Amino acid sequence: MIWLDFSMFLVLLGLFFYVLLSSSVTVLHRIYLLLHVVFTIWPLFQFASNTVSSPFFKMFYLTASYISLSLLGVGWFVFTVFLTGQSYVIRKSRLFVLSIPALLSVLAVVINPNGMFLKVNTELDPLKQLQHGPLYWIMIAQLLLYMTVSVTIMVYKLRAKESERQRTLVRTAMTGMFVLLLFSILDLAVNVMLIDNFTRYIPFISIGMAFAAVYLVHAISRNKVFDIIQLVQRDVMNTMSMGVIVLDENDIIIEVNRVIKPIIRLHIGDKFDPAAIASHFKGSVARDFEAFLQVQRKRPLERLEFELAFDHEKHQHIIVQSAPILNHKKTPVGRVLTFQEVTELRQLVEETNRQNELLQDRNRDLLIMQDELFQANKKLEQMAITDGLTGCFNRRYLLHQLEQEVVANIRYGIPFSIFLFDLDHFKSINDKFGHLVGDEVLCSTVDAVRSTLRLTDILARYGGEEFTVYLPHTNREQADIIAEQLMEAVEHNRINTGISDHSISVTISMGVISIEQFEPADLADPKAFLRELLAQVDAALYEAKYNGRNRIVKRKLA
């Protein structure tokens, strides 16, 4: 929808040229042109504000557009006064006094204290970024005031005994104002008050200005209200930043402004020759430009656009637009070629793209670094809780888990069991076969133990050749069965010593303690309760080793 604003600007600009080309200078014409300039500024800067992402430039363009809107009411009022033949009331001193509300609105727009007129919140959805403050509504109020006074004057003139031509002019102005007022109310309702109910911005004010201007210009042409000489039209064209070539229906050049002359050598009255024009450029640019001009001659009723990139003192990008000039019967009577330089815009886009690519590369590198850091932290976390040799949990992790589990088990009365086992005669294995074989015996025994445990059981290396198993939700009978299976798995596990085909097996001594009932007092000091459990199971292991090893000694806490 942002291009609709720009389209309305082009429409208003085209109407401005039409009035200049077909009229002569009068006081009333000057006032209308000032009003028309106000019409033109609004869609132009609304369009510009939607083409930039910088909050500063966005606010700058919005400020310019709202300055023009603030002057719309007083401009229409002055136009109405002159149109109704009451220009005698507009003296310099009175004009200043009558303009005070509009000037105060302009001052509020420019200063915008603490964003009380307008704020741009870039954190919101693009459609809802504009936030209007109380000064905005004061501006609306002063516009309504001027419009009300203008309507009152025109109604009074319609009731008075005036000539038919004067009444026609008043009705024309009133109709144009009502068209503009209708679209303004729609804009206020849709784009400000009910913005949450719509998915896109619709520039009703710009459309209303265009419709009002189209209607007024049509009425002006039909009733010969204004008359602007060719000199004024030429001066306006020469102040434009874009190059303009105007052709008649026979492709004769009837107007060229100053901007285009350094690029293409043209003279008013010459025949427009596409090949000669294209010769001002080189290589593929010349061929493409000539092809564009040939296409626009074959399709005279279409609006066409083409972009040139060439070197003329410096590298330049120019957008060429071809638009037909139609009379009231929709018959083409000429064509307008416009040349708008967009070099800075293209350079800005290219630089933005380069910066975006660099940013994407840096983001990609950052993501890789974040993943590597995550993996490293994951490894460090794993190393912090596991035994480096056997891969099972270490003693610190076991005690931390037990502290949490014991509290929950005591609170909810959940039975659990703890195994503490030791490899029998492990020192003799180290002495006879070496520490490497001893390490292999530890790892192989851990694998055998894991094969008998459940997924919820926690196996940890308690120290040296001692290991602990925590079995949650396990009563004494279940613990006895698992302990027997664990003893059997270890005893039947064969470990290769690396000496020929000689293999060995080991046995373990085990202490088992099961806790099925709890006392409420145990929650008072769960750490002391846990120390007591570990001391009990350690005593059971010691008893198993003292009584000959390769056996299980069971304890039960009531």
Short mmCIF file of all heavy atoms in Angstrom, two decimals, residues 49-88:
data_model
loop_
_atom_site.label_atom_id
_atom_site.label_comp_id
_atom_site.label_asym_id
_atom_site.label_seq_id
_atom_site.Cartn_x
_atom_site.Cartn_y
_atom_site.Cartn_z
N SER A 49 8.25 7.89 3.99
CA SER A 49 8.39 7.34 5.35
C SER A 49 8.27 5.83 5.36
O SER A 49 8.80 5.17 6.26
CB SER A 49 7.32 7.94 6.27
OG SER A 49 6.03 7.46 5.93
N ASN A 50 7.58 5.26 4.37
CA ASN A 50 7.42 3.81 4.32
C ASN A 50 8.51 3.12 3.52
O ASN A 50 8.50 1.90 3.39
CB ASN A 50 6.05 3.45 3.73
CG ASN A 50 4.93 3.69 4.70
OD1 ASN A 50 4.80 2.99 5.69
ND2 ASN A 50 4.12 4.71 4.44
N THR A 51 9.45 3.90 2.95
CA THR A 51 10.54 3.30 2.18
C THR A 51 11.84 3.25 2.97
O THR A 51 12.84 2.77 2.46
CB THR A 51 10.78 4.08 0.88
OG1 THR A 51 11.11 5.44 1.20
CG2 THR A 51 9.56 4.05 0.00
N VAL A 52 11.84 3.78 4.20
CA VAL A 52 13.05 3.78 5.02
C VAL A 52 12.81 2.97 6.28
O VAL A 52 11.69 2.86 6.76
CB VAL A 52 13.48 5.22 5.40
CG1 VAL A 52 13.88 6.01 4.17
CG2 VAL A 52 12.38 5.94 6.15
N SER A 53 13.91 2.37 6.80
CA SER A 53 13.81 1.59 8.04
C SER A 53 14.35 2.37 9.23
O SER A 53 14.06 2.02 10.38
CB SER A 53 14.60 0.28 7.90
OG SER A 53 15.95 0.55 7.57
N SER A 54 15.14 3.43 8.97
CA SER A 54 15.71 4.22 10.06
C SER A 54 14.61 4.99 10.78
O SER A 54 13.86 5.74 10.15
CB SER A 54 16.75 5.19 9.51
OG SER A 54 17.12 6.13 10.51
N PRO A 55 14.47 4.84 12.11
CA PRO A 55 13.45 5.60 12.85
C PRO A 55 13.61 7.11 12.69
O PRO A 55 12.62 7.84 12.64
CB PRO A 55 13.66 5.17 14.30
CG PRO A 55 14.33 3.83 14.22
CD PRO A 55 15.19 3.90 13.00
N PHE A 56 14.88 7.58 12.57
CA PHE A 56 15.11 9.03 12.44
C PHE A 56 14.52 9.56 11.13
O PHE A 56 13.77 10.53 11.13
CB PHE A 56 16.62 9.31 12.49
CG PHE A 56 16.96 10.75 12.21
CD1 PHE A 56 16.83 11.72 13.20
CD2 PHE A 56 17.41 11.14 10.94
CE1 PHE A 56 17.12 13.04 12.94
CE2 PHE A 56 17.70 12.47 10.67
CZ PHE A 56 17.57 13.42 11.68
N PHE A 57 14.89 8.91 10.00
CA PHE A 57 14.38 9.37 8.72
C PHE A 57 12.88 9.15 8.60
O PHE A 57 12.17 9.95 7.99
CB PHE A 57 15.12 8.67 7.57
CG PHE A 57 16.52 9.18 7.39
CD1 PHE A 57 17.60 8.44 7.80
CD2 PHE A 57 16.76 10.43 6.82
CE1 PHE A 57 18.89 8.91 7.64
CE2 PHE A 57 18.03 10.91 6.65
CZ PHE A 57 19.11 10.14 7.08
N LYS A 58 12.39 8.06 9.17
CA LYS A 58 10.95 7.81 9.14
C LYS A 58 10.21 8.96 9.84
O LYS A 58 9.21 9.48 9.34
CB LYS A 58 10.64 6.47 9.82
CG LYS A 58 9.21 5.99 9.63
CD LYS A 58 9.03 4.63 10.30
CE LYS A 58 7.68 4.03 9.95
NZ LYS A 58 7.60 3.60 8.56
N MET A 59 10.74 9.35 11.01
CA MET A 59 10.10 10.43 11.77
C MET A 59 10.23 11.76 11.02
O MET A 59 9.32 12.58 11.02
CB MET A 59 10.76 10.53 13.15
CG MET A 59 9.94 11.31 14.15
SD MET A 59 8.38 10.49 14.51
CE MET A 59 7.53 11.79 15.40
N PHE A 60 11.37 11.94 10.32
CA PHE A 60 11.58 13.17 9.55
C PHE A 60 10.53 13.30 8.45
O PHE A 60 9.91 14.35 8.29
CB PHE A 60 12.99 13.16 8.95
CG PHE A 60 13.26 14.33 8.03
CD1 PHE A 60 13.57 15.58 8.55
CD2 PHE A 60 13.19 14.17 6.66
CE1 PHE A 60 13.80 16.64 7.70
CE2 PHE A 60 13.42 15.22 5.81
CZ PHE A 60 13.74 16.47 6.33
N TYR A 61 10.33 12.23 7.69
CA TYR A 61 9.37 12.27 6.59
C TYR A 61 7.95 12.41 7.12
O TYR A 61 7.11 13.12 6.53
CB TYR A 61 9.49 11.02 5.74
CG TYR A 61 10.77 10.95 4.94
CD1 TYR A 61 11.54 9.79 4.91
CD2 TYR A 61 11.21 12.04 4.20
CE1 TYR A 61 12.71 9.72 4.18
CE2 TYR A 61 12.39 11.98 3.47
CZ TYR A 61 13.13 10.82 3.46
OH TYR A 61 14.28 10.76 2.73
N LEU A 62 7.64 11.73 8.22
CA LEU A 62 6.30 11.85 8.79
C LEU A 62 6.05 13.27 9.27
O LEU A 62 4.95 13.80 9.12
CB LEU A 62 6.14 10.86 9.95
CG LEU A 62 6.01 9.39 9.56
CD1 LEU A 62 6.05 8.50 10.79
CD2 LEU A 62 4.71 9.15 8.79
N THR A 63 7.07 13.89 9.86
CA THR A 63 6.94 15.28 10.33
C THR A 63 6.62 16.20 9.15
O THR A 63 5.72 17.05 9.24
CB THR A 63 8.22 15.73 11.03
OG1 THR A 63 8.46 14.88 12.18
CG2 THR A 63 8.12 17.16 11.49
N ALA A 64 7.34 16.01 8.03
CA ALA A 64 7.09 16.85 6.85
C ALA A 64 5.67 16.66 6.34
O ALA A 64 4.99 17.63 5.97
CB ALA A 64 8.10 16.51 5.76
N SER A 65 5.20 15.39 6.31
CA SER A 65 3.84 15.15 5.80
C SER A 65 2.79 15.74 6.72
O SER A 65 1.78 16.30 6.25
CB SER A 65 3.62 13.64 5.64
OG SER A 65 3.69 12.97 6.88
N TYR A 66 2.99 15.66 8.05
CA TYR A 66 1.99 16.20 8.97
C TYR A 66 2.03 17.73 9.02
O TYR A 66 1.02 18.37 9.38
CB TYR A 66 2.19 15.61 10.37
CG TYR A 66 1.54 14.26 10.53
CD1 TYR A 66 2.29 13.10 10.59
CD2 TYR A 66 0.15 14.15 10.58
CE1 TYR A 66 1.70 11.86 10.72
CE2 TYR A 66 -0.46 12.90 10.70
CZ TYR A 66 0.32 11.77 10.77
OH TYR A 66 -0.28 10.55 10.88
N ILE A 67 3.17 18.33 8.69
CA ILE A 67 3.21 19.79 8.55
C ILE A 67 2.27 20.21 7.43
O ILE A 67 1.48 21.16 7.57
CB ILE A 67 4.65 20.27 8.29
CG1 ILE A 67 5.48 20.14 9.58
CG2 ILE A 67 4.66 21.71 7.79
CD1 ILE A 67 6.95 20.47 9.38
N SER A 68 2.35 19.49 6.29
CA SER A 68 1.46 19.83 5.18
C SER A 68 0.00 19.60 5.55
O SER A 68 -0.87 20.40 5.20
CB SER A 68 1.82 18.99 3.95
OG SER A 68 1.46 17.63 4.13
N LEU A 69 -0.27 18.53 6.30
CA LEU A 69 -1.65 18.25 6.70
C LEU A 69 -2.17 19.32 7.66
O LEU A 69 -3.34 19.70 7.60
CB LEU A 69 -1.73 16.87 7.36
CG LEU A 69 -3.14 16.35 7.66
CD1 LEU A 69 -3.93 16.20 6.36
CD2 LEU A 69 -3.08 15.03 8.41
N SER A 70 -1.29 19.82 8.53
CA SER A 70 -1.70 20.87 9.47
C SER A 70 -2.11 22.15 8.74
O SER A 70 -2.95 22.91 9.23
CB SER A 70 -0.55 21.17 10.45
OG SER A 70 -0.23 20.04 11.22
N LEU A 71 -1.51 22.37 7.57
CA LEU A 71 -1.80 23.60 6.81
C LEU A 71 -2.98 23.43 5.88
O LEU A 71 -3.41 24.40 5.22
CB LEU A 71 -0.57 24.01 6.00
CG LEU A 71 0.68 24.40 6.83
CD1 LEU A 71 1.87 24.61 5.91
CD2 LEU A 71 0.40 25.66 7.65
N LEU A 72 -3.51 22.19 5.77
CA LEU A 72 -4.60 21.93 4.83
C LEU A 72 -5.85 22.74 5.17
O LEU A 72 -6.49 23.32 4.28
CB LEU A 72 -4.93 20.42 4.83
CG LEU A 72 -6.06 19.99 3.91
CD1 LEU A 72 -5.74 20.31 2.46
CD2 LEU A 72 -6.31 18.49 4.07
N GLY A 73 -6.19 22.80 6.45
CA GLY A 73 -7.41 23.50 6.85
C GLY A 73 -7.35 24.98 6.52
O GLY A 73 -8.28 25.54 5.92
N VAL A 74 -6.27 25.66 6.92
CA VAL A 74 -6.17 27.09 6.66
C VAL A 74 -6.05 27.36 5.17
O VAL A 74 -6.57 28.35 4.64
CB VAL A 74 -4.99 27.71 7.45
CG1 VAL A 74 -3.66 27.22 6.93
CG2 VAL A 74 -5.07 29.24 7.39
N GLY A 75 -5.38 26.44 4.43
CA GLY A 75 -5.27 26.60 2.99
C GLY A 75 -6.63 26.53 2.32
O GLY A 75 -6.95 27.34 1.43
N TRP A 76 -7.44 25.56 2.74
CA TRP A 76 -8.78 25.44 2.17
C TRP A 76 -9.66 26.64 2.55
O TRP A 76 -10.46 27.11 1.76
CB TRP A 76 -9.43 24.14 2.63
CG TRP A 76 -10.57 23.76 1.73
CD1 TRP A 76 -11.82 24.27 1.72
CD2 TRP A 76 -10.54 22.82 0.68
NE1 TRP A 76 -12.58 23.72 0.75
CE2 TRP A 76 -11.81 22.80 0.08
CE3 TRP A 76 -9.56 21.96 0.16
CZ2 TRP A 76 -12.14 21.96 -0.99
CZ3 TRP A 76 -9.87 21.14 -0.89
CH2 TRP A 76 -11.14 21.14 -1.46
N PHE A 77 -9.47 27.12 3.77
CA PHE A 77 -10.24 28.29 4.22
C PHE A 77 -9.92 29.52 3.35
O PHE A 77 -10.82 30.23 2.88
CB PHE A 77 -9.92 28.57 5.68
CG PHE A 77 -10.42 29.89 6.18
CD1 PHE A 77 -11.78 30.11 6.42
CD2 PHE A 77 -9.55 30.94 6.38
CE1 PHE A 77 -12.24 31.32 6.87
CE2 PHE A 77 -9.99 32.16 6.83
CZ PHE A 77 -11.34 32.36 7.06
N VAL A 78 -8.63 29.78 3.13
CA VAL A 78 -8.24 30.93 2.31
C VAL A 78 -8.73 30.77 0.88
O VAL A 78 -9.24 31.72 0.25
CB VAL A 78 -6.70 31.10 2.34
CG1 VAL A 78 -6.26 32.20 1.37
CG2 VAL A 78 -6.24 31.44 3.75
N PHE A 79 -8.63 29.53 0.35
CA PHE A 79 -9.11 29.25 -1.00
C PHE A 79 -10.62 29.53 -1.09
O PHE A 79 -11.11 30.12 -2.06
CB PHE A 79 -8.81 27.79 -1.35
CG PHE A 79 -9.37 27.35 -2.67
CD1 PHE A 79 -8.87 27.85 -3.87
CD2 PHE A 79 -10.40 26.43 -2.73
CE1 PHE A 79 -9.38 27.44 -5.09
CE2 PHE A 79 -10.92 26.01 -3.95
CZ PHE A 79 -10.41 26.52 -5.13
N THR A 80 -11.34 29.11 -0.05
CA THR A 80 -12.79 29.34 -0.02
C THR A 80 -13.13 30.83 0.01
O THR A 80 -14.04 31.30 -0.70
CB THR A 80 -13.40 28.64 1.21
OG1 THR A 80 -13.13 27.25 1.15
CG2 THR A 80 -14.90 28.86 1.28
N VAL A 81 -12.39 31.58 0.81
CA VAL A 81 -12.64 33.02 0.93
C VAL A 81 -12.44 33.71 -0.42
O VAL A 81 -13.26 34.53 -0.86
CB VAL A 81 -11.73 33.63 2.01
CG1 VAL A 81 -11.80 35.16 1.96
CG2 VAL A 81 -12.14 33.13 3.39
N PHE A 82 -11.35 33.38 -1.12
CA PHE A 82 -11.08 34.01 -2.41
C PHE A 82 -12.07 33.52 -3.47
O PHE A 82 -12.49 34.28 -4.34
CB PHE A 82 -9.65 33.73 -2.86
CG PHE A 82 -8.65 34.69 -2.30
CD1 PHE A 82 -8.11 34.51 -1.03
CD2 PHE A 82 -8.27 35.81 -3.01
CE1 PHE A 82 -7.20 35.41 -0.51
CE2 PHE A 82 -7.35 36.73 -2.50
CZ PHE A 82 -6.82 36.53 -1.24
N LEU A 83 -12.44 32.23 -3.39
CA LEU A 83 -13.36 31.67 -4.38
C LEU A 83 -14.73 32.32 -4.28
O LEU A 83 -15.41 32.54 -5.29
CB LEU A 83 -13.47 30.15 -4.19
CG LEU A 83 -14.27 29.39 -5.24
CD1 LEU A 83 -13.54 29.40 -6.58
CD2 LEU A 83 -14.51 27.95 -4.80
N THR A 84 -15.14 32.65 -3.06
CA THR A 84 -16.46 33.25 -2.85
C THR A 84 -16.44 34.76 -2.96
O THR A 84 -17.43 35.44 -2.63
CB THR A 84 -17.01 32.86 -1.46
OG1 THR A 84 -16.05 33.22 -0.45
CG2 THR A 84 -17.28 31.36 -1.40
N GLY A 85 -15.31 35.31 -3.38
CA GLY A 85 -15.25 36.75 -3.63
C GLY A 85 -15.17 37.58 -2.38
O GLY A 85 -15.58 38.76 -2.39
N GLN A 86 -14.65 37.06 -1.28
CA GLN A 86 -14.56 37.82 -0.04
C GLN A 86 -13.10 38.03 0.36
O GLN A 86 -12.74 38.00 1.53
CB GLN A 86 -15.31 37.10 1.09
CG GLN A 86 -16.78 36.86 0.77
CD GLN A 86 -17.51 36.15 1.89
OE1 GLN A 86 -17.87 36.76 2.90
NE2 GLN A 86 -17.72 34.86 1.71
N SER A 87 -12.26 38.22 -0.63
CA SER A 87 -10.82 38.36 -0.36
C SER A 87 -10.51 39.61 0.45
O SER A 87 -9.42 39.73 1.03
CB SER A 87 -10.05 38.41 -1.69
OG SER A 87 -10.53 39.48 -2.50
N TYR A 88 -11.45 40.54 0.50
CA TYR A 88 -11.19 41.78 1.25
C TYR A 88 -11.02 41.51 2.74
O TYR A 88 -10.47 42.35 3.47
CB TYR A 88 -12.33 42.77 1.02
CG TYR A 88 -13.70 42.25 1.43
CD1 TYR A 88 -14.17 42.42 2.74
CD2 TYR A 88 -14.51 41.61 0.51
CE1 TYR A 88 -15.42 41.95 3.11
CE2 TYR A 88 -15.77 41.13 0.88
CZ TYR A 88 -16.22 41.31 2.18
OH TYR A 88 -17.44 40.84 2.55
#
